[in-house]
Amino acid sequence: MFGVVSDLSRWAIPVVLLLVPLIAMIRGVNVFEKFVEGAEDGFATAIKTIPFLVAMLVAISIFRASGALDMVVGILSPVLNRVGFPAEVLPHAIMRPLSGGASLGIATDIIKTHGPDSFIGRLVSTMQGSSDTTFYVLTLYFGSVGISKYRYSIISGLSADFTTLVASVYVAHKLFGPA
């Protein structure tokens, strides 16, 4: 059974990449022209997102460089340690909704310090894989298409982030348990 799944997954993308243009040509679609149109639209979208991306990266850099992140960690650490949440992963938990790159950098530092097979290394890996960059998504994608009224998007996104944070801590404790 595993061999069949492995073979299917190995050939899935090449088959799709062959079939889509082939079916389009059979239907009379000028594949190259449509590809170029799509590339132009994608390039225009990329150019529109640059200001939002730069603004978000500058804000994150200011947040980290100002010492605000360290201050928040210092304030919350004693309370979180009591409920089984290691203070070492708090910077990652704070940064994850803001930036995938920054949170990945923090996760990498944590794993280098504590090791990939440590409880903290496994916890931060679980957190990295189970949460999303809420503010990045809202700023970049909503901003690039001109959505200015987010309504409940921030609340929904942060609620999902908090839920995945709690679930990550719970799962990590159940599966890996602190040493």
Side-chain angles (χ1 to χ4, degrees), residues 76-138:
L76 296 177
S77 296
V79 174
L80 294 175
N81 280 329
R82 288 190 186 142
V83 295
F85 186 89
E88 295 88 349
V89 297
L90 188 55
H92 180 271
I94 293 170
M95 196 56 66
R96 184 64 178 151
L98 299 173
S99 168
S103 64
L104 183 59
I106 293 170
T108 301
D109 289 342
I110 291 170
I111 290 170
K112 280 182 186 175
T113 302
H114 297 279
D117 293 329
S118 67
F119 173 73
I120 291 174
R122 289 177 173 175
L123 173 59
V124 78
S125 298
T126 305
M127 291 166 58
Q128 180 74 19
S130 65
S131 58
D132 202 0
T133 53
T134 300
F135 286 105
Y136 178 84
V137 168
L138 292 176

Side-chain angles (χ1 to χ4, degrees), residues 24-171:
M25 286 179 11
I26 291 170
R27 292 185 175 178
V29 175
N30 185 338
V31 175
F32 183 73
E33 184 179 306
K34 291 297 178 184
F35 175 78
V36 170
E37 285 176 19
E40 286 176 356
D41 291 344
F43 187 73
T45 301
I47 295 299
K48 282 176 30 179
T49 62
I50 289 173
F52 299 100
L53 182 60
V54 169
M56 188 69 184
L57 292 174
V58 168
I60 290 166
S61 295
I62 291 170
F63 181 64
R64 290 183 79 185
S66 70
L69 178 62
D70 295 331
M71 184 179 75
V72 171
V73 169
I75 292 169
L76 296 177
S77 296
V79 174
L80 294 175
N81 280 329
R82 288 190 186 142
V83 295
F85 186 89
E88 295 88 349
V89 297
L90 188 55
H92 180 271
I94 293 170
M95 196 56 66
R96 184 64 178 151
L98 299 173
S99 168
S103 64
L104 183 59
I106 293 170
T108 301
D109 289 342
I110 291 170
I111 290 170
K112 280 182 186 175
T113 302
H114 297 279
D117 293 329
S118 67
F119 173 73
I120 291 174
R122 289 177 173 175
L123 173 59
V124 78
S125 298
T126 305
M127 291 166 58
Q128 180 74 19
S130 65
S131 58
D132 202 0
T133 53
T134 300
F135 286 105
Y136 178 84
V137 168
L138 292 176
T139 302
L140 188 66
Y141 299 126
F142 281 25
S144 69
V145 295
I147 297 172
S148 60
K149 295 182 181 178
Y150 297 157
R151 293 193 185 169
Y152 301 109
S153 300
I154 293 174
I155 294 168
S156 299
L158 290 177
S159 296
D161 289 335
F162 181 75
T163 302
T164 58
L165 174 65
V166 170
S168 295
V169 172
Y170 177 78
V171 167

